[in-house]
Amino acid sequence: MMNMQKIAVLTSGGDAPGMNAAVRAVVRRGISYGMEVYGINHGYEGLMHGQITLMDAGSVGDIIQRGGTILHSSRSEEFKTDAGQQRGIDELRRKGIEGLVVIGGDGSFRGAQRLSDKGFSTIGIPGTIDNDISGTEMTLGFDTAVNTVLEAIDKIRDTATSHERIFVVEVMGRHCGDIALWAGLSGGAESILIPEVNVEITDVIHRLLEGNKRGKKHSIIIVAEGVCPASEIAQRIKKEAGLDTRVTVLGHVQRGGSPSAFDRMLGSRLGAKAVDLLREGQSGKMVGIQRNRITEVDFADVFTIENDIDLDMYELSKTLSI
Amino acid sequence: MMNMQKIAVLTSGGDAPGMNAAVRAVVRRGISYGMEVYGINHGYEGLMHGQITLMDAGSVGDIIQRGGTILHSSRSEEFKTDAGQQRGIDELRRKGIEGLVVIGGDGSFRGAQRLSDKGFSTIGIPGTIDNDISGTEMTLGFDTAVNTVLEAIDKIRDTATSHERIFVVEVMGRHCGDIALWAGLSGGAESILIPEVNVEITDVIHRLLEGNKRGKKHSIIIVAEGVCPASEIAQRIKKEAGLDTRVTVLGHVQRGGSPSAFDRMLGSRLGAKAVDLLREGQSGKMVGIQRNRITEVDFADVFTIENDIDLDMYELSKTLSI
Amino acid sequence: MMNMQKIAVLTSGGDAPGMNAAVRAVVRRGISYGMEVYGINHGYEGLMHGQITLMDAGSVGDIIQRGGTILHSSRSEEFKTDAGQQRGIDELRRKGIEGLVVIGGDGSFRGAQRLSDKGFSTIGIPGTIDNDISGTEMTLGFDTAVNTVLEAIDKIRDTATSHERIFVVEVMGRHCGDIALWAGLSGGAESILIPEVNVEITDVIHRLLEGNKRGKKHSIIIVAEGVCPASEIAQRIKKEAGLDTRVTVLGHVQRGGSPSAFDRMLGSRLGAKAVDLLREGQSGKMVGIQRNRITEVDFADVFTIENDIDLDMYELSKTLSI
Amino acid sequence: MMNMQKIAVLTSGGDAPGMNAAVRAVVRRGISYGMEVYGINHGYEGLMHGQITLMDAGSVGDIIQRGGTILHSSRSEEFKTDAGQQRGIDELRRKGIEGLVVIGGDGSFRGAQRLSDKGFSTIGIPGTIDNDISGTEMTLGFDTAVNTVLEAIDKIRDTATSHERIFVVEVMGRHCGDIALWAGLSGGAESILIPEVNVEITDVIHRLLEGNKRGKKHSIIIVAEGVCPASEIAQRIKKEAGLDTRVTVLGHVQRGGSPSAFDRMLGSRLGAKAVDLLREGQSGKMVGIQRNRITEVDFADVFTIENDIDLDMYELSKTLSI
């Protein structure tokens, strides 16, 4: 067991529900080991500018239920440079801090890996609603985002049913269709379009017309933003099938909201695990959840292993939405 | 007291939460008077095509909590003609129906008034989320829609605060800024743009910059769709103040969802009152809520009296969002 | 117009959603008039112990959406005495404070009236979920509480329907049946028992058995705590009708939660109005909402006028729950 | 691959959110294989009385979002006898049904095993909010129930914080502390009492007093119903520490509500898998989720293997609630 006395934590990239639970866990787990735990404001940008404050157990009280991140987040171009990274390390060392927990997404972990490569102990926690990180089956914030999208689908279904109309709903997910797939399957969407599976819009239209014949008068189509704009699909449906179609782009509501039980649990467990790893002298790793167990994986693997979609689930969604 | 034996109810125009509560109230109040109550499917369109079914107390069980309308809704061009209206009346008379309750918005009431002018007893219930109908302080669905928008604002605020960013949120309201005003004031929005009040975007930007000086790093601007697209405002802010700004267009989620207690109450009370008026031999009127009492008003007044915004509330929103 | 420079605000008695919106409005309205506004912690207890802090516009930022009260609340025996009240006034005068806003219920207003009688300008804001205060049609927190109870009823209905069972749900309301009546009517409860209307449990059982004959296999009975314990009703139903009956006592969840749009609006408007009254040199009054307008009423009237239930609504609930 | 043509599905025991998603999946997966799928009303009781109806794809439309079970549920003493079980099999065979899916808890599976022992192909789906079934890491309804409890804790915290009070919240779980543990950990509860871990109330009181010394003025204690009544704990705290303590028993709201995304997914996947197993000629098994994969396990193992609590999580809750 290392004798690490001072650690710090920051949040980086897009905010995600559950980040506060993770911050709380890092702070309180650290304190339970007798460490001093520092919070860094505004991510890497704040790190380079020395926005580093000592936190106590009370400073993370009453935050587990809040969306966003109390440490604020930001994106930093300067930190992508060697000079920026060194500046960050200097700020940390000036305060005697020996270990860092970075809560964020893929891009944030590249910065974390550089810190680790430069000899500063750094552990990552996957915090992003997109579920697009390899080495963990769920990212922090994903479960909450899926439930938020689901609530929106449930609401839109009220109007779709009342007016017997077709809706195309665009959800987040530039490279990963998990939000679309999970929310679509659990929302009973008639079609789900994701970047991982190539589907012709002609097929979607064919499905619509078939459903119409069976008496299904309304339809909800979920499309991940990485596929194409929802408006494009609506126009094609109008043009090729003559069916009036409405569009909703869910946008930033998907990021916010009080975290679900799962995300608060996951944040708590990953935060505690990250401190445990630092304490054991480990670095350059991400903590995650795999096969329902808290695990760790090298950043190198996070960047190289492909993040697969569950194709069985995709096929299931087609079977169940007849 | 008239001896009306058979009445019918339909929903028309955009669906609104609380319509089902009103349908339930019409059916059960009618039954309590010994009437037969018929449900008409698909609004005026269905009326002209004889989609008229007898309802019993059980047929409106377990619907008070549901969004949308179990009677379905539609818009009809044909019903705007005399021939269409007469066709509707013929269908009703063929079944021996003597009175009709129309749940819908302004446009639906014009049809209702024509039926009344042609001698068919018709009462209107204001059902639309927009709160844009004169002669009632609240329309059915407005309270639910405001709470839905508010939840979205609360979620967006999480990200706005975490990233210290500006958001422009576009909400429904083509001619009436009530959704924007209520949700903006209760959501603590920094600026609210509504069709009833002419505001220069320059002033909005000025407010933003002033707030920035006082240390307010995030801002939420609510704009009713009738003012201008949210994207236009975002572009001007970016261009004129150099501030990065995100846009969310809430869209159709605003129409759906389980109705709030207020909308279920209002629907129940208006539905019962509409039946009472038919029973008293009245016609050509809308029931509504004014000064917290259930009231009635002639359709003629609904169409001619201007629907005012509460300017005190608008001024208050400016005072409180400093 | 008085030249009042310094005012204070406190919350007292049971907490209610919307209190924070009212505190925010008092602070920011005061600031907009150039006043200094002080927050008093822990109600009258804190007042007597000088827990008084200057607030700025930022200190009430990001609180409008929060349940409870950031100023904390408490009950105080000492403040019921002349000595206690004088001690409070002394603390206020020591800081140069000339006016006080008290947010709370009936009991809190008795203290407020005593302060006013002793020459200290005091205005009350009705903050309690019970809606049991005369001189205002709605108290702050009532709308949120009704919606919270409604959500619970909607959930319980799932089980009631699935198992075809009878449930008795006990809600808050010792002297006032408004929560029971509103939530019961909007939740479609089969029977509603409130302190204002004397109903024999035999009648409730009779209704149950009649419903059973018509094929209604499940029932939800709402009872205000002021009538009798829910368990007593369940036992009588079991004994006299042989029907298995489940009991749920909703308890303290009814007080909490993010305030509804209505309560945030009401809190904002009442808070602003209270400051306006102090500024005009008024005292010994409660602000409220009557016939949908913000009004003011003497404390004396608040204490003497009886708070009526809307019996039409009660009758309506019986008609609609067949 | 067997040539099974007709299967049936029933729900049994306490209802749980997600049961409708599972019913929908059984019906539609079956139809996709060209089977006829029958729904049995009122569980085993209805089975014995031949309440068996053919379902089509439309009959499970618009149900995935609903709590409870559209097939209704019940408990049956008669079905525990050989005669009752044989009667059920006879009813199924009379309709030519060859396979049965039983959605329910431990008790329901004992009946299912007897059917399988008697030669009737039967597969179980674990549907209960309690998460007390071996052979699956999550039962259907558990995730929704935890989130429901969490919302209640968040609300109670508002009052606990505002009044600086202690609350004891009693949640479901007679033999299994999972709801208490998950909701308590994610709700930031100060103490969690579960049947699996023996804790002296003296220790809970000691923790309270220690927290008090550090300035923590409010506390939430979660207790699973299997430990002892919440009121007992409150009385001991009052008596031994002199601290005023409030009690809330959450009750039946925990069973209801629209299912979470996870429960809709799980229900969909388990329902489809159950049909797949029947089609493969399997029987006497439960489908479940283990290490995040859909799996199957013999009923015999479900009954004999002990269902463990995650003690790491329990320890973590103590670390994080300081």
Side-chain angles (χ1 to χ4, degrees):
Chain A
M1 203 59 60
M2 291 253 306
N3 208 4
M4 200 170 272
Q5 306 280 346
K6 297 184 181 185
I7 62 170
V9 56
L10 63 79
T11 51
S12 171
D15 64 311
M19 281 185 162
N20 284 330
V23 170
R24 174 180 178 263
V26 169
V27 170
R28 292 194 172 173
R29 182 73 143 203
I31 289 172
S32 79
Y33 290 143
M35 295 170 169
E36 283 184 4
V37 187
Y38 291 80
I40 299 166
N41 242 309
H42 298 110
Y44 291 132
E45 194 67 32
L47 169 60
M48 290 182 300
H49 293 85
Q51 299 182 14
I52 305 173
T53 326
L54 183 62
M55 302 187 85
D56 61 16
S59 66
V60 290
D62 202 29
I63 67 164
I64 197 172
Q65 78 279 19
R66 299 211 187 139
T69 159
I70 60 159
L71 292 179
H72 299 99
S73 185
S74 68
R75 302 183 194 270
S76 170
E77 284 305 310
E78 185 186 348
F79 196 75
K80 291 182 182 162
T81 65
D82 276 317
Q85 293 147 16
Q86 193 55 52
R87 195 171 155 191
I89 292 174
D90 293 346
E91 289 290 344
L92 289 163
R93 293 216 166 118
R94 186 170 312 158
K95 286 207 149 34
I97 295 165
E98 303 151 285
L100 175 67
V101 178
V102 171
I103 307 171
D106 204 78
S108 308
F109 290 164
R110 297 199 180 262
Q113 190 185 27
R114 301 302 301 276
L115 293 180
S116 184
D117 290 348
K118 286 186 157 64
F120 197 88
S121 296
T122 307
I123 299 291
I125 293 176
T128 163
I129 62 165
D130 285 343
N131 209 30
D132 61 351
I133 297 180
S134 294
T136 187
E137 285 169 349
M138 301 280 273
T139 55
L140 200 52
F142 173 65
D143 184 64
T144 305
V146 168
N147 278 292
T148 300
V149 172
L150 189 55
E151 269 179 53
I153 295 176
D154 285 351
K155 286 193 169 117
I156 288 169
R157 183 170 300 280
D158 287 338
T159 295
T161 311
S162 298
H163 289 271
E164 302 182 338
R165 257 191 212 138
I166 301 161
F167 277 85
V168 185
V169 181
E170 183 180 318
V171 303
M172 285 189 171
R174 218 171 287 275
H175 308 292
C176 175
D178 271 3
I179 291 181
L181 180 54
W182 280 66
L185 178 43
S186 57
E190 275 69 20
S191 289
I192 301 170
L193 299 171
I194 52 177
E196 292 88 346
V197 181
N198 193 20
V199 172
E200 295 299 316
I201 296 187
T202 320
D203 294 338
V204 173
I205 294 172
H206 181 70
R207 242 179 114 79
L208 276 177
L209 293 172
E210 267 194 338
N212 253 357
K213 273 187 225 151
R214 284 196 317 272
K216 192 161 212 169
K217 300 244 174 60
H218 66 271
S219 263
I220 296 182
I221 299 162
I222 308 292
V223 57
E225 61 181 338
V227 175
C228 74
S231 55
E232 198 179 308
I233 297 169
Q235 281 157 16
R236 294 243 348 234
I237 294 172
K238 178 72 188 164
K239 198 177 150 201
E240 296 173 31
L243 297 169
D244 211 27
T245 303
R246 304 295 163 106
V247 166
T248 294
V249 180
L250 286 184
H252 284 87
V253 291
Q254 296 169 80
R255 286 205 183 287
S258 183
S260 68
F262 182 87
D263 277 329
R264 298 191 200 181
M265 289 288 287
L266 186 61
S268 300
R269 296 170 79 185
L270 295 180
K273 179 74 174 177
V275 175
D276 291 354
L277 292 187
L278 283 179
R279 196 162 171 250
E280 289 167 15
Q282 301 208 42
S283 181
K285 298 193 167 179
M286 179 188 83
V287 291
I289 186 165
Q290 285 179 306
R291 311 212 70 172
N292 210 21
R293 300 290 179 272
I294 300 302
T295 54
E296 60 204 69
V297 53
D298 287 341
F299 280 139
D301 294 333
V302 174
F303 301 138
T304 52
I305 296 172
E306 210 173 327
N307 186 35
D308 285 332
I309 198 100
D310 187 329
L311 281 177
D312 286 350
M313 233 180 252
Y314 180 75
E315 289 304 317
L316 182 59
S317 78
K318 289 203 285 188
T319 305
L320 298 188
S321 63
I322 49 172
Chain B
M1 204 58 61
M2 291 252 307
N3 208 4
M4 200 171 272
Q5 306 281 346
K6 297 185 180 184
I7 61 170
V9 56
L10 63 78
T11 51
S12 171
D15 63 310
M19 281 186 164
N20 285 329
V23 170
R24 173 181 178 264
V26 169
V27 171
R28 293 194 172 173
R29 183 71 142 203
I31 288 173
S32 79
Y33 289 144
M35 295 170 169
E36 283 185 3
V37 187
Y38 291 80
I40 298 167
N41 242 309
H42 298 108
Y44 290 131
E45 194 66 31
L47 169 59
M48 291 183 298
H49 292 84
Q51 300 182 13
I52 305 174
T53 327
L54 182 63
M55 303 188 84
D56 61 15
S59 66
V60 291
D62 203 30
I63 69 164
I64 198 172
Q65 78 280 17
R66 298 212 188 139
T69 159
I70 60 158
L71 292 180
H72 299 98
S73 187
S74 69
R75 300 183 195 271
S76 169
E77 283 305 310
E78 186 187 347
F79 196 76
K80 291 181 182 163
T81 66
D82 277 316
Q85 292 147 16
Q86 194 55 52
R87 197 173 155 187
I89 292 176
D90 293 346
E91 290 290 342
L92 289 164
R93 294 216 167 120
R94 187 170 309 158
K95 287 207 150 34
I97 295 166
E98 302 152 286
L100 176 66
V101 178
V102 170
I103 308 170
D106 204 77
S108 308
F109 290 164
R110 296 199 180 262
Q113 191 184 27
R114 302 300 301 276
L115 292 180
S116 185
D117 290 348
K118 287 184 157 63
F120 197 89
S121 297
T122 307
I123 299 293
I125 293 176
T128 163
I129 63 166
D130 285 344
N131 210 30
D132 60 352
I133 297 181
S134 293
T136 187
E137 286 169 350
M138 301 280 271
T139 55
L140 200 52
F142 173 65
D143 183 64
T144 306
V146 169
N147 278 291
T148 299
V149 172
L150 188 55
E151 270 179 52
I153 295 176
D154 285 351
K155 286 191 169 118
I156 288 169
R157 184 171 299 281
D158 288 336
T159 296
T161 312
S162 297
H163 288 272
E164 302 181 338
R165 256 190 212 141
I166 302 161
F167 277 85
V168 185
V169 181
E170 183 180 318
V171 303
M172 285 189 172
R174 217 170 288 275
H175 309 291
C176 176
D178 271 2
I179 290 181
L181 179 53
W182 280 66
L185 177 43
S186 56
E190 275 70 20
S191 289
I192 300 170
L193 299 172
I194 53 178
E196 291 88 345
V197 181
N198 193 20
V199 172
E200 295 299 316
I201 296 186
T202 321
D203 293 339
V204 174
I205 294 171
H206 182 70
R207 242 178 114 78
L208 276 177
L209 294 171
E210 267 194 339
N212 254 356
K213 271 186 227 151
R214 284 196 317 273
K216 191 160 211 166
K217 300 243 175 61
H218 67 271
S219 263
I220 295 183
I221 298 162
I222 308 292
V223 58
E225 61 180 339
V227 175
C228 75
S231 54
E232 197 178 309
I233 297 169
Q235 280 157 18
R236 294 235 356 228
I237 294 172
K238 177 71 189 166
K239 198 177 151 198
E240 296 173 31
L243 296 170
D244 210 26
T245 303
R246 304 294 163 109
V247 166
T248 294
V249 180
L250 285 185
H252 284 88
V253 291
Q254 296 169 80
R255 285 205 184 287
S258 184
S260 68
F262 182 87
D263 277 328
R264 299 191 201 182
M265 288 289 286
L266 187 60
S268 300
R269 296 171 78 186
L270 296 180
K273 179 72 174 179
V275 175
D276 291 354
L277 291 187
L278 282 180
R279 195 162 171 251
E280 290 167 13
Q282 301 208 42
S283 181
K285 297 192 167 179
M286 180 189 82
V287 291
I289 186 165
Q290 283 180 306
R291 311 210 73 171
N292 208 21
R293 299 292 179 273
I294 300 302
T295 55
E296 60 205 68
V297 54
D298 287 339
F299 280 140
D301 293 334
V302 174
F303 301 139
T304 51
I305 297 171
E306 210 173 330
N307 186 35
D308 284 333
I309 198 100
D310 187 329
L311 282 176
D312 286 350
M313 233 181 252
Y314 179 76
E315 289 305 318
L316 182 59
S317 78
K318 290 203 284 190
T319 306
L320 298 188
S321 62
I322 49 173
Chain C
M1 205 57 61
M2 292 254 306
N3 209 3
M4 200 172 272
Q5 306 280 348
K6 297 184 181 185
I7 62 170
V9 56
L10 63 80
T11 52
S12 172
D15 63 312
M19 281 185 162
N20 284 329
V23 169
R24 172 179 179 265
V26 169
V27 170
R28 294 194 172 173
R29 184 72 142 203
I31 289 172
S32 79
Y33 290 143
M35 294 170 170
E36 283 185 3
V37 187
Y38 291 80
I40 298 167
N41 242 309
H42 299 108
Y44 291 132
E45 194 66 32
L47 169 60
M48 291 183 298
H49 293 85
Q51 300 182 14
I52 305 173
T53 327
L54 183 61
M55 303 188 82
D56 60 16
S59 67
V60 291
D62 203 28
I63 68 163
I64 198 172
Q65 79 278 19
R66 299 212 186 139
T69 159
I70 62 159
L71 291 179
H72 299 99
S73 185
S74 69
R75 301 183 195 272
S76 169
E77 283 306 309
E78 188 187 346
F79 196 75
K80 291 181 182 163
T81 66
D82 276 317
Q85 293 147 16
Q86 194 54 53
R87 197 173 154 188
I89 292 175
D90 292 347
E91 289 290 341
L92 290 163
R93 294 216 167 118
R94 187 171 310 160
K95 287 205 147 37
I97 295 166
E98 301 152 286
L100 175 67
V101 178
V102 171
I103 308 170
D106 203 78
S108 308
F109 290 164
R110 296 198 181 264
Q113 189 184 29
R114 301 301 302 276
L115 293 180
S116 186
D117 290 348
K118 287 185 156 64
F120 197 88
S121 297
T122 307
I123 298 291
I125 293 176
T128 164
I129 63 165
D130 285 344
N131 209 29
D132 60 351
I133 296 180
S134 293
T136 187
E137 286 170 349
M138 301 280 273
T139 55
L140 200 52
F142 173 65
D143 183 63
T144 306
V146 169
N147 278 291
T148 299
V149 172
L150 188 56
E151 270 179 52
I153 295 176
D154 284 353
K155 287 191 169 118
I156 287 170
R157 185 171 297 281
D158 288 338
T159 295
T161 311
S162 297
H163 289 272
E164 303 183 335
R165 255 189 213 140
I166 302 161
F167 277 85
V168 185
V169 181
E170 184 180 319
V171 304
M172 285 189 173
R174 218 172 288 274
H175 309 292
C176 176
D178 271 3
I179 291 181
L181 180 54
W182 281 66
L185 178 43
S186 57
E190 275 70 19
S191 290
I192 302 171
L193 300 172
I194 53 177
E196 291 89 344
V197 181
N198 192 21
V199 173
E200 296 299 316
I201 296 186
T202 319
D203 294 338
V204 174
I205 295 172
H206 182 70
R207 243 178 114 79
L208 276 176
L209 293 172
E210 269 193 338
N212 255 356
K213 273 187 225 152
R214 285 195 318 273
K216 192 160 211 167
K217 300 246 174 61
H218 66 271
S219 263
I220 295 183
I221 298 162
I222 308 292
V223 57
E225 62 180 340
V227 175
C228 75
S231 55
E232 198 178 308
I233 297 168
Q235 280 158 17
R236 296 244 344 237
I237 293 172
K238 177 73 187 164
K239 198 177 149 198
E240 295 173 31
L243 297 170
D244 212 26
T245 304
R246 304 294 164 107
V247 166
T248 294
V249 180
L250 285 183
H252 284 87
V253 291
Q254 296 169 80
R255 286 207 183 286
S258 183
S260 68
F262 182 87
D263 277 329
R264 299 190 199 181
M265 289 288 285
L266 187 61
S268 299
R269 296 170 78 186
L270 295 180
K273 179 72 174 179
V275 175
D276 291 355
L277 292 188
L278 283 179
R279 194 161 172 252
E280 289 167 13
Q282 301 209 42
S283 181
K285 297 192 169 180
M286 180 189 82
V287 292
I289 185 164
Q290 285 180 304
R291 311 211 72 172
N292 209 22
R293 299 291 179 273
I294 300 301
T295 54
E296 60 204 69
V297 53
D298 286 340
F299 279 140
D301 295 332
V302 174
F303 301 139
T304 52
I305 296 171
E306 209 171 330
N307 186 34
D308 285 332
I309 198 98
D310 188 329
L311 281 177
D312 287 349
M313 234 180 249
Y314 179 76
E315 289 304 317
L316 182 59
S317 78
K318 289 203 285 189
T319 306
L320 299 188
S321 62
I322 49 172
Chain D
M1 204 57 62
M2 291 253 306
N3 208 4
M4 201 171 272
Q5 306 280 347
K6 297 185 181 184
I7 62 169
V9 56
L10 63 79
T11 52
S12 171
D15 64 310
M19 281 185 163
N20 284 329
V23 170
R24 173 180 178 265
V26 169
V27 170
R28 293 193 171 173
R29 183 71 142 203
I31 288 172
S32 80
Y33 289 143
M35 295 170 170
E36 283 185 4
V37 187
Y38 291 80
I40 299 167
N41 243 308
H42 300 107
Y44 290 132
E45 195 67 31
L47 169 60
M48 291 183 298
H49 293 84
Q51 299 183 14
I52 306 174
T53 327
L54 183 62
M55 304 189 83
D56 61 15
S59 66
V60 291
D62 203 29
I63 69 165
I64 198 172
Q65 79 279 19
R66 299 213 185 137
T69 159
I70 60 158
L71 292 180
H72 299 98
S73 186
S74 68
R75 301 183 196 270
S76 169
E77 283 305 310
E78 188 188 345
F79 196 75
K80 290 182 182 161
T81 65
D82 277 316
Q85 291 147 17
Q86 194 55 51
R87 197 173 153 188
I89 292 176
D90 293 346
E91 290 289 342
L92 290 164
R93 293 217 167 117
R94 188 170 309 160
K95 286 207 150 35
I97 296 165
E98 301 152 287
L100 176 67
V101 178
V102 171
I103 308 171
D106 203 77
S108 308
F109 291 164
R110 297 200 180 261
Q113 190 185 27
R114 300 303 301 274
L115 292 180
S116 185
D117 290 348
K118 286 185 157 63
F120 196 90
S121 296
T122 307
I123 298 292
I125 293 176
T128 165
I129 63 166
D130 285 343
N131 210 30
D132 60 352
I133 296 180
S134 294
T136 187
E137 286 169 350
M138 301 280 272
T139 55
L140 199 52
F142 174 66
D143 184 63
T144 306
V146 168
N147 278 292
T148 299
V149 172
L150 188 56
E151 270 179 50
I153 295 176
D154 285 352
K155 286 191 169 117
I156 288 170
R157 184 172 299 282
D158 288 337
T159 295
T161 311
S162 297
H163 289 272
E164 302 182 338
R165 256 190 213 140
I166 302 161
F167 277 84
V168 185
V169 181
E170 185 180 317
V171 303
M172 284 189 173
R174 218 170 288 274
H175 309 291
C176 175
D178 271 3
I179 291 181
L181 180 53
W182 279 67
L185 178 42
S186 57
E190 275 70 19
S191 288
I192 301 170
L193 298 172
I194 53 177
E196 292 88 345
V197 181
N198 193 22
V199 172
E200 296 299 316
I201 296 186
T202 320
D203 293 340
V204 174
I205 295 172
H206 182 70
R207 242 178 114 79
L208 276 176
L209 294 171
E210 267 194 339
N212 254 356
K213 272 187 227 151
R214 285 195 318 273
K216 190 162 213 166
K217 299 245 175 61
H218 65 272
S219 263
I220 295 182
I221 299 163
I222 309 292
V223 56
E225 62 180 339
V227 175
C228 75
S231 55
E232 198 179 307
I233 297 169
Q235 280 158 17
R236 294 238 355 230
I237 294 171
K238 177 72 188 165
K239 199 178 149 197
E240 294 173 31
L243 297 170
D244 212 25
T245 304
R246 304 294 163 107
V247 166
T248 294
V249 180
L250 286 184
H252 284 87
V253 291
Q254 297 169 78
R255 286 205 183 289
S258 184
S260 68
F262 182 87
D263 277 328
R264 299 191 200 183
M265 289 289 284
L266 187 60
S268 300
R269 296 170 79 187
L270 295 181
K273 179 72 174 180
V275 175
D276 291 355
L277 291 188
L278 282 179
R279 196 163 172 251
E280 290 167 13
Q282 301 208 42
S283 181
K285 296 191 168 183
M286 181 189 82
V287 292
I289 186 164
Q290 285 180 304
R291 312 210 71 172
N292 208 21
R293 299 293 179 270
I294 300 301
T295 55
E296 60 204 69
V297 53
D298 287 339
F299 279 140
D301 293 334
V302 173
F303 301 138
T304 51
I305 297 171
E306 211 172 330
N307 186 35
D308 284 333
I309 198 101
D310 187 330
L311 282 176
D312 286 351
M313 233 180 249
Y314 180 76
E315 289 304 317
L316 182 59
S317 78
K318 290 203 284 188
T319 306
L320 298 189
S321 63
I322 49 172

